[in-house]
Amino acid sequence: MADADRERWDRRFATVGPGTPGPPSALVGREDLVPTTGAALDLACGRGTVAVWFAGRGLTTTAVDVSPEALRLTAALAEARGVAVTTVRADLDDGLSVTGPFDVVVCQRFRDPRLYAGLIELLVPGGLLVVSVLSTAGDEGGSYRAGPGELRSAFGHLDVLVDEEGNGEAHLVARVP
Ligand SMILES: C[S@@+](CC[C@H](N)C(=O)[O-])C[C@H]1O[C@@H](n2cnc3c(N)ncnc32)[C@H](O)[C@@H]1O
């Protein structure tokens, strides 16, 4: 990632307050799909709201982001909620620098199709994958948005539990066989 992009994210996070822990959007109302033991990974974690929710649920949680400000907010939220989250600063443009296996992997509102195959490899058999991206479905489009069916095409060979597109977003939840 270019320094200018990272600095842009840092500036954004420097002006927002802490978030509120909560499940990934694709799992709202489906929280029971998430195990209460094991290891979870939140890629491009932002303020860490999902990571801290995982940790509060009992998962040993790792949160990755390129922005030091995002990771600072994540660590502060974890401390405030009395849970442990391991924060890792990494540029996902350089690939997936973490090693699994994980029981849950989430990548929400960060899209890089080059990472899709690697996300699956990070999971244990039966592990839960949660991917949400901006989509052209129900939106004007843009080169950074997923085209129709992108997530189904990448992950349709898994045991798909949720596959939704619309209102400019796409969500897929699946288990690795
Ligand atoms: C739209 S936010 C999403 C944050 C969080 N996943 C959520 O759903 O609230 C995108 C996040 O991706 C991070 N990011 C952008 N490019 C990245 C890269 N190349 N490597 C790692 N993180 C990146 C940003 O710092 C930011 O935290």
PDB file of all heavy atoms in Angstrom, residues 96-102 122:
ATOM      1  N   LEU A  96      -1.077 -12.471   2.791  1.00  0.00           N
ATOM      2  CA  LEU A  96      -1.522 -12.821   4.141  1.00  0.00           C
ATOM      3  C   LEU A  96      -0.297 -13.200   4.961  1.00  0.00           C
ATOM      4  O   LEU A  96       0.313 -14.237   4.726  1.00  0.00           O
ATOM      5  CB  LEU A  96      -2.505 -13.995   4.080  1.00  0.00           C
ATOM      6  CG  LEU A  96      -3.851 -13.683   3.422  1.00  0.00           C
ATOM      7  CD1 LEU A  96      -4.589 -14.973   3.073  1.00  0.00           C
ATOM      8  CD2 LEU A  96      -4.690 -12.804   4.336  1.00  0.00           C
ATOM      9  N   SER A  97       0.055 -12.358   5.899  1.00  0.00           N
ATOM     10  CA  SER A  97       1.299 -12.584   6.637  1.00  0.00           C
ATOM     11  C   SER A  97       1.070 -13.400   7.907  1.00  0.00           C
ATOM     12  O   SER A  97       2.009 -13.670   8.642  1.00  0.00           O
ATOM     13  CB  SER A  97       1.927 -11.237   6.994  1.00  0.00           C
ATOM     14  OG  SER A  97       0.991 -10.471   7.712  1.00  0.00           O
ATOM     15  N   VAL A  98      -0.150 -13.783   8.187  1.00  0.00           N
ATOM     16  CA  VAL A  98      -0.434 -14.551   9.404  1.00  0.00           C
ATOM     17  C   VAL A  98      -0.498 -16.039   9.065  1.00  0.00           C
ATOM     18  O   VAL A  98      -0.808 -16.416   7.939  1.00  0.00           O
ATOM     19  CB  VAL A  98      -1.768 -14.127  10.049  1.00  0.00           C
ATOM     20  CG1 VAL A  98      -1.619 -12.859  10.830  1.00  0.00           C
ATOM     21  CG2 VAL A  98      -2.847 -13.977   8.996  1.00  0.00           C
ATOM     22  N   THR A  99      -0.200 -16.836  10.080  1.00  0.00           N
ATOM     23  CA  THR A  99      -0.311 -18.276   9.877  1.00  0.00           C
ATOM     24  C   THR A  99      -1.430 -18.826  10.747  1.00  0.00           C
ATOM     25  O   THR A  99      -1.563 -18.433  11.903  1.00  0.00           O
ATOM     26  CB  THR A  99       0.995 -18.994  10.251  1.00  0.00           C
ATOM     27  OG1 THR A  99       1.719 -18.236  11.195  1.00  0.00           O
ATOM     28  CG2 THR A  99       1.862 -19.244   9.050  1.00  0.00           C
ATOM     29  N   GLY A 100      -2.204 -19.702  10.180  1.00  0.00           N
ATOM     30  CA  GLY A 100      -3.312 -20.303  10.898  1.00  0.00           C
ATOM     31  C   GLY A 100      -2.849 -21.521  11.651  1.00  0.00           C
ATOM     32  O   GLY A 100      -1.669 -21.643  11.959  1.00  0.00           O
ATOM     33  N   PRO A 101      -3.733 -22.457  11.937  1.00  0.00           N
ATOM     34  CA  PRO A 101      -5.106 -22.371  11.464  1.00  0.00           C
ATOM     35  C   PRO A 101      -6.002 -21.596  12.432  1.00  0.00           C
ATOM     36  O   PRO A 101      -5.677 -21.449  13.611  1.00  0.00           O
ATOM     37  CB  PRO A 101      -5.541 -23.833  11.401  1.00  0.00           C
ATOM     38  CG  PRO A 101      -4.781 -24.483  12.513  1.00  0.00           C
ATOM     39  CD  PRO A 101      -3.458 -23.751  12.594  1.00  0.00           C
ATOM     40  N   PHE A 102      -7.121 -21.126  11.885  1.00  0.00           N
ATOM     41  CA  PHE A 102      -8.125 -20.422  12.671  1.00  0.00           C
ATOM     42  C   PHE A 102      -9.464 -21.146  12.542  1.00  0.00           C
ATOM     43  O   PHE A 102      -9.728 -21.814  11.540  1.00  0.00           O
ATOM     44  CB  PHE A 102      -8.278 -18.977  12.174  1.00  0.00           C
ATOM     45  CG  PHE A 102      -7.047 -18.141  12.386  1.00  0.00           C
ATOM     46  CD1 PHE A 102      -6.093 -18.025  11.381  1.00  0.00           C
ATOM     47  CD2 PHE A 102      -6.822 -17.482  13.582  1.00  0.00           C
ATOM     48  CE1 PHE A 102      -4.943 -17.268  11.568  1.00  0.00           C
ATOM     49  CE2 PHE A 102      -5.674 -16.727  13.784  1.00  0.00           C
ATOM     50  CZ  PHE A 102      -4.737 -16.620  12.776  1.00  0.00           C
ATOM     51  N   LEU A 122      -6.369 -20.628   5.563  1.00  0.00           N
ATOM     52  CA  LEU A 122      -6.123 -20.269   6.970  1.00  0.00           C
ATOM     53  C   LEU A 122      -7.048 -21.009   7.933  1.00  0.00           C
ATOM     54  O   LEU A 122      -6.838 -20.974   9.142  1.00  0.00           O
ATOM     55  CB  LEU A 122      -6.333 -18.760   7.162  1.00  0.00           C
ATOM     56  CG  LEU A 122      -5.252 -17.832   6.602  1.00  0.00           C
ATOM     57  CD1 LEU A 122      -5.703 -16.378   6.698  1.00  0.00           C
ATOM     58  CD2 LEU A 122      -3.943 -18.029   7.360  1.00  0.00           C
TER      59      LEU A 122
END
